[in-house]
Amino acid sequence: MINKLRASITLTILAAGISMPAATASLSIRTTAYTHTESDHIKYQKKNAIGTQLKYGEVRSAAADWSIFPLGTTFRIVGDAAVYVVEDYGSALVGKRTIDLYKPSRNAMNAWGVRDVKIDIVKWGSYQESLDVLKPRTKYGHVRKMVDRLRQKI
């Protein structure tokens, strides 16, 4: 029964384009990896989009399109004990159901590569908080796209 319910939730999420499903859900998604020493992240050092330190431990940082996976979305990769929190975004992620996982080194980033994984959403983040953080940054085209999509959802 639980698997049937989980499948139903997953299908609902996929059909709805991940608008704001139930509190917990399982999704199959594409993941990539990033690190703070990449050329497009150097100016931010080890900080995420909300100005706090990127995390890599039991709790780890992740980046995504906040109009799909809003700021604060918490999830686990099936088979991985770590908890990931969406607290960053990137221009290459906008409009995609891809989550970028923070890795502490280029070697770790390259070792991850691109993987299709199953994730369990522990808690959905907030579209409103995402919008509040992004609104002052709309001089960037990728941010404007997320803001426009977030406004449609709120």
Side-chain angles (χ1 to χ4, degrees):
M1 179 66 181
I2 290 175
N3 284 339
K4 194 178 250 186
L5 178 60
R6 181 174 276 174
S8 173
I9 291 170
T10 301
L11 289 173
T12 302
I13 290 166
L14 294 174
I18 311 177
S19 57
M20 187 53 106
T24 59
S26 291
L27 299 168
S28 294
I29 62 153
R30 178 178 185 258
T31 60
T32 52
Y34 73 108
T35 191
H36 61 281
T37 60
E38 286 184 274
S39 61
D40 62 340
H41 207 282
I42 288 176
K43 66 182 174 183
Y44 306 111
Q45 300 173 356
K46 288 187 177 182
K47 302 274 186 184
N48 59 36
I50 56 173
T52 60
Q53 286 289 117
L54 289 164
K55 299 175 197 69
Y56 191 82
E58 289 181 30
V59 176
R60 300 178 182 181
S61 298
D65 177 337
W66 289 2
S67 68
I68 298 172
F69 298 100
L71 173 63
T73 297
T74 305
F75 65 93
R76 284 193 166 92
I77 295 173
V78 173
D80 183 347
V83 173
Y84 295 83
V85 180
V86 173
E87 53 192 16
D88 218 347
Y89 60 85
S91 59
L93 300 170
V94 176
K96 298 185 176 121
R97 292 184 60 238
T98 298
I99 295 179
D100 212 5
L101 307 173
Y102 173 70
K103 301 294 181 182
S105 70
R106 282 186 179 270
N107 285 342
M109 176 187 77
N110 291 333
W112 183 266
V114 177
R115 299 183 192 183
D116 291 322
V117 300
K118 185 172 183 180
I119 65 170
D120 289 330
I121 302 292
V122 176
K123 179 185 82 116
W124 285 95
S126 166
Y127 289 133
Q128 186 62 56
E129 286 178 28
S130 300
L131 184 59
D132 292 345
V133 171
L134 293 173
K135 275 195 295 193
R137 303 175 186 185
T138 55
K139 70 179 180 179
Y140 302 103
H142 66 286
V143 173
R144 279 194 304 276
K145 287 178 185 175
M146 286 190 288
V147 166
D148 290 344
R149 290 178 184 140
L150 285 164
R151 284 184 172 140
Q152 292 172 9
K153 293 179 183 229
I154 295 175

